[in-house]
Amino acid sequence: MIAVLARTLIHEYRMNDFFIFLISDMNMTSNVKFICMAVAGCFALHGEAQEVWSVDRCMAYAVRHNHTVKQRLLEAKNYELDRLQAIGSFLPGVSGSTGVQYNFGRSVDPETNTYNNVSTFNNSYTLEGSLTVFRGGSLVNELRRSKAAVLLGKAALQEARDNTALETFQAYIDALYCYGTERLARKKLAESDSLLYKTRRQEELGLKGLADVAQMEAQQATDAYNLTRQRNLFETAMLTLKQKMNYPASEPLVLDTCLLDASPLSFVKLSADSPEDVVSAALSTNPTLHQAEMNKRIALMQRKGSWANILPQITLFGGVSSSYYKELHKDGYDSFGRQFRNNLGQYFGVSMSIPLFNRFSGAVSMRQARNNYRIASEQYEEQKTELQKLVLQAVQDREGYLKETVQMEKKVASDSLAYHVTRRKFEEGLMTSLDVQNSAATLLESETLFLQSKLTYVLKCRLVDYYKGEEIINCRLNVEN
């Protein structure tokens, strides 16, 4: 019996609260109990030395290290640069140019416009500025489009953060559920070990038969297999959580298991908000719907800007220019400074470009922009309808899982009482081993369903709060990791 208990302690040292229950429940001497309690206490100190990660901390870590979030952040910065470029389109453009030309052999004399067989050096300078006065309204519409694109980038960034946090929350709940089922399987195996030990002792005393012992051994083997399976599922769930967080797979990650033992009502804020209020809040705050709205606005600005393809464009321009000329191997020319001042001139002008025929490209682009706007409008309405459906489903799930949790809690209490009564009657010879197995299986199923409904209820509560416009991650959390 001590060997069985030691094996359980060594492999399952994380469940120290269960060790105390197991030790107090078993029939052993006070010295053995003291030794086992000391071992459990040592394991408890070892477990407490490791840092515990809450769900909010895991979500914050995942958001900071997610590659998609980093990409959306860079895209948002590019949208800011596009807006700056659109603002710059209203400002005049200034350009300067210079040229150096060296001619040898026959060349044209710029003074007499005749051919000479001489070598010349010519240098020109130009400084010009231009300002677009009218471009079919495309400048204003491009600025409006860039502002909508900035809002689109912010919404996309927020959506990436929220999706990362929600996926991490789901993975955290799945890991907690697997941990809880592993704990239940561990408890079930310990009870099977205890019952098998008592059955063997009773068989030695002639109170039980070999069939009862064989049945208990089979049940103990089944529970051992179930514990191994649940442990593997927990390790897989932890690996999935680390992948969602972009957390090193080789580093330890200890989860906060308070949700497993406490009432779910203590972790959520009960609210009397109606489904219509939640839907209204989601329509005004949801980043996914905001993206669809910004895409619709961008398509509208592009549709208005397409009119520039058939309207005239007016541009003002002006500048100054000068030049320097000299025949090589000949003297008598003015100096560079004198020629530069003498040849200095200014010019100013207005140009207007009217598209008369552009091979149908203007009309085609306008129709395409109109169709794109209609597509964006349909996508916005579709996204709006989908969001309403998701919000109503989340609210309904929250209420449904709350009722399931309350009912399953009562069922667990009833099944637990029934199991202990059945086990006691079996020890007294009033029940068969099959009755004990069936009662234990019913209790394990009830505890598993209760754990699932409780954790799912907590998840749905956080999801509904998110749709109501609240931050998915606790804002009071400030952990540097």
Side-chain angles (χ1 to χ4, degrees):
M1 179 59 193
I2 297 178
V4 173
L5 179 59
R7 173 175 58 83
T8 306
L9 288 174
I10 291 174
H11 291 284
E12 318 302 339
Y13 63 88
R14 287 176 293 181
M15 301 307 300
N16 300 287
D17 55 343
F18 173 65
F19 295 155
I20 298 174
F21 161 76
L22 177 62
I23 294 169
S24 61
D25 182 68
M26 289 185 175
N27 298 323
M28 59 181 67
T29 63
S30 59
N31 292 334
V32 176
K33 286 186 178 181
F34 176 78
I35 294 175
C36 295
M37 291 288 289
V39 174
C42 293
F43 286 135
L45 293 177
H46 174 75
E48 291 177 357
Q50 296 180 346
E51 197 172 7
V52 177
W53 286 66
S54 65
V55 62
D56 291 292
R57 184 179 180 184
C58 290
M59 288 191 294
Y61 183 94
V63 169
R64 284 194 299 271
H65 296 82
N66 185 264
H67 297 294
T68 303
V69 173
K70 295 179 180 179
Q71 294 176 28
R72 296 295 178 268
L73 179 60
L74 295 175
E75 291 175 0
K77 293 181 179 180
N78 284 337
Y79 288 135
E80 292 282 355
L81 296 177
D82 289 341
R83 183 177 65 173
L84 181 61
Q85 185 177 6
I87 295 175
S89 300
F90 289 88
L91 303 177
V94 180
S95 62
S97 63
T98 181
V100 177
Q101 185 177 6
Y102 173 73
N103 294 326
F104 55 91
R106 292 177 60 82
S107 62
V108 178
D109 188 348
E111 296 181 354
T112 61
N113 201 25
T114 59
Y115 287 96
N116 295 325
N117 192 13
V118 295
S119 299
T120 60
F121 175 80
N122 188 18
N123 188 203
S124 62
Y125 299 90
T126 303
L127 181 64
E128 181 179 279
S130 61
L131 176 63
T132 301
V133 179
F134 180 74
R135 196 185 291 174
S138 62
L139 295 178
V140 176
N141 292 322
E142 180 63 20
L143 179 59
R144 294 174 179 174
R145 185 206 64 80
S146 64
K147 291 182 178 179
V150 170
L151 298 178
L152 173 65
K154 293 181 179 180
L157 176 60
Q158 187 61 41
E159 180 192 33
R161 290 172 175 171
D162 295 344
N163 289 341
T164 301
L166 289 174
E167 291 175 359
T168 305
F169 197 105
Q170 179 67 62
Y172 191 96
I173 291 296
D174 292 341
L176 275 185
Y177 172 73
C178 293
Y179 181 77
T181 55
E182 179 191 356
R183 187 171 68 173
L184 293 175
R186 186 183 300 113
K187 177 182 176 182
K188 183 68 168 55
L189 176 59
E191 292 179 350
S192 297
D193 289 338
S194 175
L195 191 57
L196 176 60
Y197 172 77
K198 292 182 179 180
T199 304
R200 285 174 176 173
R201 292 298 302 272
Q202 289 178 340
E203 191 271 337
E204 294 175 358
L205 297 176
L207 300 178
K208 297 291 184 182
L210 291 178
D212 294 328
V213 175
Q215 194 70 34
M216 289 297 102
E217 289 177 349
Q219 183 62 40
Q220 192 270 348
T222 302
D223 294 339
Y225 162 77
N226 186 45
L227 175 59
T228 302
R229 179 175 177 273
Q230 294 301 328
R231 184 182 294 112
N232 292 335
L233 292 176
F234 172 65
E235 295 297 335
T236 302
M238 286 299 299
L239 181 59
T240 302
L241 175 60
K242 291 180 179 180
Q243 292 175 348
K244 293 294 183 181
M245 295 172 56
N246 200 17
Y247 188 85
S250 58
E251 296 293 329
L253 183 62
V254 181
L255 305 184
D256 185 4
T257 59
C258 294
L259 284 173
L260 298 178
D261 302 316
S263 172
L265 300 180
S266 61
F267 291 90
V268 297
K269 296 179 295 184
L270 298 180
S271 176
D273 294 332
S274 63
E276 291 75 15
D277 295 335
V278 180
V279 170
S280 178
L283 293 178
S284 60
T285 60
N286 187 262
T288 303
L289 184 62
H290 196 198
Q291 284 187 83
E293 182 182 1
M294 290 303 103
N295 283 326
K296 178 182 177 181
R297 184 180 301 180
I298 290 174
L300 177 61
M301 294 302 104
Q302 290 176 341
R303 178 184 179 182
K304 293 181 178 179
S306 63
W307 283 89
N309 296 321
I310 62 174
L311 295 178
Q313 177 178 335
I314 302 175
T315 304
L316 300 178
F317 63 91
V320 294
S321 63
S322 183
S323 63
Y324 171 76
Y325 175 81
K326 179 183 179 181
E327 292 184 9
L328 300 180
H329 312 294
K330 183 178 181 180
D331 298 330
Y333 287 92
D334 293 337
S335 63
F336 175 83
R338 187 178 181 86
Q339 284 196 39
F340 189 86
R341 290 190 299 270
N342 292 336
N343 295 333
L344 184 64
Q346 299 85 24
Y347 61 93
F348 176 80
V350 179
S351 65
M352 182 174 64
S353 175
I354 303 176
L356 298 179
F357 181 72
N358 50 12
R359 294 183 291 274
F360 305 110
S361 63
V364 170
S365 62
M366 290 178 60
R367 293 180 181 180
Q368 288 178 342
R370 181 188 60 185
N371 293 335
N372 291 335
Y373 172 70
R374 292 177 177 177
I375 293 174
S377 300
E378 293 297 331
Q379 291 176 347
Y380 171 74
E381 295 298 331
E382 180 183 8
Q383 188 63 46
K384 184 177 179 180
T385 303
E386 182 67 20
L387 179 61
Q388 292 175 346
K389 177 183 176 182
L390 292 176
V391 172
L392 293 176
Q393 185 65 45
V395 174
Q396 181 179 349
D397 290 343
R398 183 188 64 175
E399 302 302 325
Y401 279 108
L402 175 60
K403 297 177 182 178
E404 290 183 11
T405 302
V406 174
Q407 295 298 326
M408 287 307 303
E409 187 175 13
K410 297 178 181 179
K411 189 175 186 301
V412 167
S414 301
D415 291 342
S416 178
L417 179 61
Y419 168 73
H420 285 91
V421 171
T422 303
R423 176 175 174 175
R424 185 62 178 271
K425 288 184 177 181
F426 170 76
E427 295 173 355
E428 295 176 355
L430 302 178
M431 287 286 186
T432 64
S433 58
L434 292 178
D435 295 329
V436 176
Q437 292 180 7
N438 293 334
S439 181
T442 302
L443 175 60
L444 180 60
E445 181 183 4
S446 299
E447 291 176 334
T448 303
L449 293 177
F450 172 66
L451 176 64
Q452 181 182 14
S453 60
K454 179 172 64 174
L455 294 178
T456 307
Y457 171 66
V458 174
L459 175 63
K460 294 301 179 180
C461 286
R462 184 69 69 98
L463 183 60
V464 172
D465 291 340
Y466 165 70
Y467 284 136
K468 288 164 56 179
E470 299 182 10
E471 293 290 339
I472 188 64
I473 303 176
N474 189 353
C475 298
R476 294 173 296 180
L477 183 67
N478 185 16
V479 181
E480 296 298 333
N481 274 306

